[in-house]
Amino acid sequence: MRLKIRIGLLLCLMSAAVISCCAAYRSMHRVSAGAVPEEVYAQFMLGADSAEYYLRDSNGRVAVYAGRRDKSPLSVTAIETAGLRSADRAMLRGGIPVADTQALLRLLEDLGS
């Protein structure tokens, strides 16, 4: 009888562990792949008025534009957007404002590594 109680308790604990793992896994993957939290993108948009450059996607690569509405890029980097995180790709679709050349170089280095 004692062995049956132990086995029953062990099965209950194993079931609880499996259910907990499944719930944790589902909670990590609730945010859609292409979504950027508003507060993250809002940080980048704070300097949009004084931005000297904008980073956007151009034919699958990160490109540097002189203004938000420019059609042709100043330069296209070797950084492929397919290799970036989904949040970075989503921000590039909206355009990432960059204040100056120093900030541009830092951001490109971050995206390239």
Side-chain angles (χ1 to χ4, degrees), residues 24-65:
Y25 180 78
R26 271 190 243 118
S27 72
M28 290 188 307
H29 296 287
R30 272 200 190 129
V31 176
S32 66
V36 178
E38 283 296 319
E39 59 272 6
V40 172
Y41 194 64
Q43 274 185 325
F44 283 96
M45 294 311 290
L46 286 176
D49 295 337
S50 62
E52 190 174 333
Y53 303 105
Y54 276 85
L55 292 181
R56 292 197 314 256
D57 184 312
S58 176
N59 296 323
R61 299 203 182 268
V62 176
V64 180
Y65 291 83

Side-chain angles (χ1 to χ4, degrees), residues 60-78:
R61 299 203 182 268
V62 176
V64 180
Y65 291 83
R68 185 175 184 105
R69 304 205 190 285
D70 282 4
K71 298 292 183 196
S72 59
L74 293 174
S75 67
V76 178
T77 68

